[in-house]
């Protein structure tokens, strides 16, 4: 059934509020951003924010559930890596480069998530669990490569997965605003993946 014009307008307004809130949360921090600031930036009344989302926390939940995040982006990349015929170094290069692209493309969400993890213990725990799940998926990819003879039998794949992924996040946080992002990111990915191909080699 087709939406009424009124419903379409309501959906568009809701999306606008989500976009405005995301930008403000990412640049100012969640705690420092008020619902009045969000309403003013969106050109609506504060009451409309409460009408759609109930509270600032409800607005945050809606932002996080409807906008892409680096965890979901990496999960997609890892799913593709499971059946990739490419050599290990190229698989790692694809994963790291693809994740950096996702982090930067979803920069507002990524910075918001990183900031919340530092200031909200409960959210930090949830985020750590999501990252741990991603590391577990990468360890499984490496396990398949070990079964195929590409990875050393003595390698601790859980630690390797952690140490492959963590520097990617740190590189993004330190360099995402650089005017030379593309060249710096390519240089990082090349050196990072060469190092790990050597470290994991059979």
């Amino acid at each position: 059934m087709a939406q009424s014009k009124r419903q379409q307008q309501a959906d568009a307004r809701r999306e606008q509020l989500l976009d405005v809130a995301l930008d403000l949360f990412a640049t100012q921090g969640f705690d420092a951003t008020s619902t009045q600031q969000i309403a003013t930036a969106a050109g609506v009344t504060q009451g409309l924010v409460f009408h759609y989302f109930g509270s600032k926390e409800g607005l945050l939940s809606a932002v996080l559930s409807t906008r892409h995040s680096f965890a979901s982006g990496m999960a997609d990349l890892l799913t593709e890596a499971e059946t990739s015929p490419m050599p290990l170094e190229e698989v790692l290069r694809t994963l790291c480069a693809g994740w950096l692209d996702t982090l930067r493309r979803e920069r507002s969400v990524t910075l918001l998530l990183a900031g919340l993890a530092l200031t909200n213990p409960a959210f930090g725990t949830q985020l750590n669990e999501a990252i741990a799940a991603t590391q577990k998926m990468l360890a499984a990819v490496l396990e398949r490569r070990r079964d195929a003879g590409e990875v050393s039998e003595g390698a601790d794949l859980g630690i390797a997965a952690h140490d492959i992924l963590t520097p990617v996040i740190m590189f993004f946080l330190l360099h995402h605003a650089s005017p030379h992002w593309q060249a710096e990111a390519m240089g990082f990915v090349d050196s990072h993946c060469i190092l790990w191909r050597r470290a994991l080699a059979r």
Side-chain angles (χ1 to χ4, degrees), residues 10-139:
D11 289 347
R13 180 65 76 187
R14 189 176 186 278
E15 287 297 309
Q16 179 198 15
L17 286 169
L18 289 172
D19 288 339
V20 169
L22 174 56
D23 286 342
L24 289 175
F25 288 159
T27 55
Q28 298 182 173
F30 175 72
D31 291 335
T33 302
S34 68
T35 52
Q36 183 58 63
Q37 287 176 309
I38 294 168
T40 299
V44 302
T45 64
Q46 188 176 18
L48 191 63
V49 176
F50 293 129
H51 171 73
Y52 282 125
F53 304 103
S55 64
K56 189 170 74 165
E57 289 71 19
L59 181 52
L60 173 63
S61 295
V63 166
L64 296 179
S65 64
T66 58
R67 296 309 189 259
H68 296 294
S69 72
F70 59 77
S72 61
M74 190 57 172
D76 291 341
L77 290 167
L78 285 164
T79 298
E80 294 176 8
E82 288 181 0
T83 57
S84 174
M86 295 188 296
L88 177 61
E89 184 179 330
E90 289 306 309
V91 168
L92 293 177
R93 193 185 306 275
T94 299
L95 288 174
C96 292
W99 205 21
L100 277 177
D101 285 344
T102 299
L103 290 169
R104 196 156 190 261
R105 185 173 61 251
E106 306 296 343
R107 176 164 47 188
S108 292
V109 177
T110 303
L111 295 175
L112 173 59
L113 291 171
L116 286 171
L118 293 174
T119 60
N120 185 314
F123 186 81
T125 298
Q126 293 176 2
L127 184 59
N128 286 336
E129 290 173 352
I131 292 174
T134 302
Q135 291 170 355
K136 187 175 180 179
M137 289 181 68
L138 177 55

Side-chain angles (χ1 to χ4, degrees), residues 116-182:
L116 286 171
L118 293 174
T119 60
N120 185 314
F123 186 81
T125 298
Q126 293 176 2
L127 184 59
N128 286 336
E129 290 173 352
I131 292 174
T134 302
Q135 291 170 355
K136 187 175 180 179
M137 289 181 68
L138 177 55
V141 171
L142 296 176
E143 180 72 36
R144 291 185 180 85
R145 294 287 168 158
R146 180 157 65 188
D147 292 342
E150 268 191 285
V151 172
S152 169
E153 291 290 341
D156 186 320
L157 301 185
I159 292 176
H162 173 276
D163 291 351
I164 290 169
L165 294 179
T166 300
V168 177
I169 299 174
M170 294 305 300
F171 178 87
F172 166 79
L173 292 175
L174 292 172
H175 297 275
H176 68 87
S178 171
H180 309 295
W181 163 265
Q182 196 63 38

